[in-house]
Amino acid sequence: MSLKALDYESLNENVKNCQYAVRGELYLRASELQKEGKKIIFTNVGNPHALGQKPLTFPRQVVALCQAPFLLDNPNVGMIFPADAIARAKHYLSLTSGGLGAYSDSRGLPGVRKEVAEFIQRRDGYPSDPELIFLTDGASKGVMQILNCIIRNQKDGILVPVPQYPLYSATISLLGGTLVPYYLEETDNWGLDVNNLRQSVAQARSQGITVRAMVIINPGNPTGQCLSVANLREILKFCCDERLVLLGDEVYQQNIYQDERPFISSKKVLMDMGAPLSKEVQLISFHTVSKGYWGECGQRGGYFEMTNIPPRTVEEIYKVASIALSPNVSAQIFMGLMVSPPKPGDISYDQFVRESKGILESLRRRARIMTDGFNSCKNVVCNFTEGAMYSFPQIKLPPKAIQAAKQAGKVPDVFYCLKLLEATGISTVPGSGFGQKEGVFHLRTTILPAEEEMLEIMESFKKFNDEFMSQYGDNFGYSRM
Ligand code: DCS
């Protein structure tokens, strides 16, 4: 009997080959344990509200009024909502054609795209054109749309950092393209060496791959590094020389925990470099409401901005976006609010600043507690989380542990993370889910658990790790770079 299209054996092989570790084996086991009643600390996903972060008040007030516009007609509305939230809700409703229940243009509401362009212009000091900004359901959808336009067949290669966030590896496999890895240097704070890029491209070309685009994640996930201006200039020059589209994933641009390297956008660096580069390098930059101090992951709001993309291509991308009709309209309003928050003098300004500063300062302290905690553990080394939301310690596994993992049919870091989960309830993602050098092992955890629980979590990690290392340890041949 012939197979039906959705029988497992006959599924699209690209779907079967695609891996997404952030919700992989560890997550599934953690969910099972939770069902059995065990307390699980879900540090596998950068999902701040799931770990107790409270939403910022002002944006929720505005969106609540947009969702329930009849409240605006209630004579008591001013007793519950501040005047600036009411004014903003009216403003956003006036930008829609039929409120939040109506589809918008497939690129997003023109009025919100204009607010995004104004934000980019204020941030970078260069003009930004709303016609070249598309609003999306989270940054993920934008990344998928753009990769879909770039990848034609399996000979098309995309340069992706390793370690990387598996949205990239998964989407490239789904679309049947080829991931061309370039390795970040752990001993150099996860820095990016352009010589590694050149080698990766040369090697891919020798295998008949046409390298078409390069992804950077800045600040990095899972690695947490912030790229310097000098590094960004080298990358842009490289993309220009090699005629690569640069995909700048900048979703963590508000999440910076050191002062030496503030966030600087790829667009600004490109424009600062002047012609001919500023007119030649094709750049797509991505942003989201899921990260920053907003952490509104469930709202699914994002945008991408296109630089030096020919008008006929923009039309094609518009056509592709049109197939899904419209991005979420409430999410577009979150995006509008993120790029134009309350200003000094507005009624809600002080509260907004207090809430957002409170979250960011606490994240900065948590980044430090985690790095210090990991570095105080036996056979664990960890770079400081300069930005983003993750800690990515290297675990130097003893040969006996690697042997035991083999016997259990597990990759060594999966073995370690499963034991950690069973012993402590801490749910992490093994480094192998992000890619890492051969024979080197990591785990990724978010820095998002509540600050008051952080010390306890790190103590419980340390106790587990001590026991693990004494169970499997000897003094010879630990895994290491
Ligand atoms: N880009 C990077 C680098 C990310 O880390 C994420 C989400 C996204 C894009 C997509 O975000 P949205 O689609 O929500 O806008 N990070 C995932 C992670 O590693 N943990 O949580 C989600």
Side-chain angles (χ1 to χ4, degrees):
M1 274 249 278
S2 68
L3 292 168
K4 291 186 231 105
L6 287 179
D7 285 336
Y8 179 79
E9 297 73 14
S10 85
L11 284 183
N12 178 346
E13 285 300 319
N14 292 343
V15 171
K16 290 198 257 180
N17 291 338
C18 159
Q19 306 278 343
Y20 184 71
V22 172
R23 293 243 160 115
E25 181 178 356
L26 261 289
Y27 174 75
L28 297 175
R29 180 70 189 130
S31 305
E32 266 172 30
L33 288 171
Q34 191 183 39
K35 270 194 209 128
E36 290 165 18
K38 189 171 170 73
K39 185 180 173 213
I40 302 295
I41 304 152
F42 281 100
T43 68
N44 55 309
V45 188
N47 193 8
H49 291 215
L51 287 165
Q53 182 176 307
K54 297 270 173 300
L56 299 168
T57 306
F58 182 75
R60 288 296 183 102
Q61 286 170 328
V62 175
V63 176
L65 287 168
C66 292
Q67 289 283 9
F70 46 84
L71 292 178
L72 291 165
D73 301 327
N74 188 311
N76 294 328
V77 66
M79 291 167 70
I80 311 179
F81 293 95
D84 53 353
I86 295 172
R88 243 350 157 74
K90 288 181 179 162
H91 159 74
Y92 284 119
L93 286 172
S94 78
L95 298 181
T96 67
S97 45
L100 269 52
Y103 293 131
S104 72
D105 185 283
S106 313
R107 296 165 296 184
L109 297 163
V112 174
R113 290 159 61 212
K114 182 165 163 276
E115 289 179 351
V116 172
E118 286 160 1
F119 154 77
I120 295 172
Q121 189 155 341
R122 276 195 310 278
R123 183 194 67 189
D124 294 343
Y126 291 101
S128 167
D129 180 355
E131 291 302 304
L132 300 176
I133 291 164
F134 283 18
L135 304 180
T136 52
D137 292 343
S140 308
K141 278 283 168 69
V143 169
M144 289 167 144
Q145 280 170 10
I146 297 298
L147 285 174
N148 197 7
C149 294
I150 295 175
I151 295 172
R152 298 164 303 182
N153 56 54
Q154 72 185 46
K155 291 281 175 206
D156 279 347
I158 311 291
L159 272 170
V160 174
V162 175
Q164 52 105 28
Y165 169 51
L167 163 66
Y168 293 96
S169 47
T171 308
I172 294 167
S173 346
L174 209 51
L175 296 171
T178 296
L179 185 150
V180 179
Y182 66 91
Y183 288 90
L184 302 175
E185 286 303 327
E186 183 165 17
T187 48
D188 187 24
N189 259 335
W190 296 114
L192 191 167
D193 181 346
V194 178
N195 291 324
N196 287 352
L197 285 177
R198 279 187 229 292
Q199 272 173 15
S200 298
V201 170
Q203 197 182 346
R205 285 192 181 140
S206 73
Q207 292 162 356
I209 303 292
T210 311
V211 184
R212 309 238 310 151
M214 169 174 177
V215 174
I216 52 170
I217 307 175
N218 181 35
N221 174 10
T223 40
Q225 84 287 12
C226 297
L227 295 177
S228 67
V229 175
N231 221 185
L232 284 165
R233 289 173 72 97
E234 286 180 307
I235 293 164
L236 286 158
K237 173 86 178 35
F238 177 78
C239 287
C240 186
D241 293 347
E242 304 293 338
R243 305 186 69 73
L244 302 178
V245 179
L246 182 63
L247 306 182
D249 183 327
E250 300 178 338
V251 300
Y252 297 102
Q253 60 188 270
Q254 287 179 328
N255 298 95
I256 308 289
Y257 314 120
Q258 42 73 43
D259 302 317
E260 298 82 63
R261 267 188 306 293
F263 170 77
I264 177 154
S265 74
S266 305
K267 163 104 181 278
K268 175 169 169 49
V269 176
L270 178 60
M271 293 301 127
D272 282 350
M273 288 171 89
L277 260 87
S278 60
K279 293 201 160 31
E280 274 182 23
V281 176
Q282 297 187 335
L283 167 69
I284 316 269
S285 313
F286 301 90
H287 199 8
T288 182
V289 300
S290 301
K291 310 296 170 184
Y293 41 83
W294 293 67
E296 292 275 12
C297 299
Q299 311 289 355
R300 311 306 300 129
Y303 76 74
F304 59 82
E305 184 193 24
M306 298 169 272
T307 305
N308 296 326
I309 307 298
R312 285 178 67 191
T313 303
V314 175
E315 280 303 309
E316 292 297 312
I317 299 172
Y318 184 14
K319 180 181 75 189
V320 171
S322 305
I323 302 170
L325 294 161
S326 159
N328 293 327
V329 177
S330 57
Q332 298 182 42
I333 294 174
F334 271 100
M335 183 50 86
L337 288 159
M338 187 175 98
V339 295
S340 54
K343 294 184 189 53
D346 292 352
I347 304 163
S348 299
Y349 178 74
D350 288 345
Q351 184 181 8
F352 180 82
V353 170
R354 198 170 53 249
E355 290 174 353
S356 45
K357 253 181 102 177
I359 293 168
L360 264 189
E361 284 171 3
S362 165
L363 282 172
R364 193 182 260 247
R365 289 191 295 272
R366 283 181 269 172
R368 178 47 73 195
I369 297 171
M370 253 200 171
T371 312
D372 291 349
F374 281 130
N375 282 323
S376 74
C377 293
K378 190 170 177 201
N379 296 335
V380 180
V381 277
C382 186
N383 283 322
F384 177 60
T385 301
E386 297 175 344
M389 291 182 172
Y390 312 97
S391 188
F392 196 61
Q394 184 186 143
I395 317 289
K396 288 180 265 173
L397 292 176
K400 264 199 215 164
I402 295 174
Q403 196 56 36
K406 259 196 203 133
Q407 271 161 10
K410 303 278 177 208
V411 177
D413 54 6
V414 173
F415 178 78
Y416 179 91
C417 291
L418 278 169
K419 293 247 174 235
L420 171 68
L421 172 67
E422 305 279 344
T424 64
I426 304 172
S427 159
T428 57
V429 186
S432 45
F434 305 94
Q436 55 199 347
K437 285 185 176 162
E438 193 64 28
V440 180
F441 305 105
H442 297 83
L443 61 81
R444 188 192 81 167
T445 162
T446 68
I447 57 164
L448 297 174
E451 199 173 340
E452 54 278 13
E453 290 172 23
M454 210 72 173
L455 285 174
E456 201 185 314
I457 292 172
M458 293 318 290
E459 268 166 30
S460 133
F461 175 83
K462 191 177 170 72
K463 182 165 171 287
F464 159 78
N465 184 70
D466 279 351
E467 284 167 13
F468 183 96
M469 293 301 166
S470 56
Q471 183 181 352
Y472 294 102
D474 57 36
N475 293 322
F476 308 102
Y478 288 74
S479 72
R480 250 225 96 136
M481 279 183 296

